[in-house]
Amino acid sequence: VQLQASGGGLVQAGGSLRLSCTASGSTVRSSNMAWFRQASGKEREFVAAIRSNGGYTYYADSVKGRFTISRDNAKNTVYLLMNSLNPEDTAVYYCAADTPPLTVLSGLRNSAGYDYWGQGTQVTVSS
């Protein structure tokens, strides 16, 4: 399974970006998919996840109401739409796949629940 993340860049505070994660070797529909991020000098943290079964979505409190995770089964791609960005959102963003989807609900926010990772895409928000 390979995950290719893209869409990062430099944006001003208050702006928006949409990240994409295209999977090969598996389908996003049959996987739990997630986005994590890691700021410089900090640990990797959970951002959002979408479950394979039912497409239920989950968010970190820090991004709830601003970020939206979604998937396009036909394109085998997961998206992260990020609105109202602020400098604290600056980080490398990673997509991850739990396939087959074995991680229980309580583990979806934990990076250990994911088997495959993309290469990361840098998001920089200027003030």
Side-chain angles (χ1 to χ4, degrees):
V1 177
Q2 291 187 326
L3 303 175
Q4 181 69 42
S6 61
L10 174 63
V11 64
Q12 288 187 333
S16 299
L17 280 175
R18 189 181 75 162
L19 306 183
S20 301
C21 176
T22 300
S24 59
S26 182
T27 63
V28 298
R29 181 176 56 188
S30 61
S31 307
N32 293 325
M33 301 294 297
W35 289 94
F36 288 76
R37 66 186 182 187
Q38 187 167 17
S40 180
K42 295 187 177 181
E43 293 186 353
R44 189 170 298 188
E45 65 174 1
F46 170 78
V47 176
I50 184 167
R51 288 184 67 184
S52 62
N53 184 16
Y56 297 103
T57 57
Y58 309 90
Y59 297 93
D61 289 343
S62 60
V63 307
K64 196 174 296 183
R66 300 189 297 124
F67 291 11
T68 303
I69 188 171
S70 62
R71 69 186 183 202
D72 185 329
N73 295 333
K75 295 183 178 180
N76 210 27
T77 299
V78 173
Y79 301 100
L80 184 69
L81 175 61
M82 306 183 294
N83 294 323
S84 302
L85 285 161
N86 59 63
E88 290 69 38
D89 296 315
T90 295
V92 177
Y93 284 70
Y94 298 90
C95 63
D98 168 35
T99 183
L102 301 178
T103 297
V104 299
L105 178 58
S106 61
L108 287 178
R109 298 170 184 264
N110 191 326
S111 60
Y114 296 87
D115 310 294
Y116 302 96
W117 293 82
Q119 84 284 8
T121 184
Q122 176 71 48
V123 172
T124 303
V125 185
S126 63
S127 57

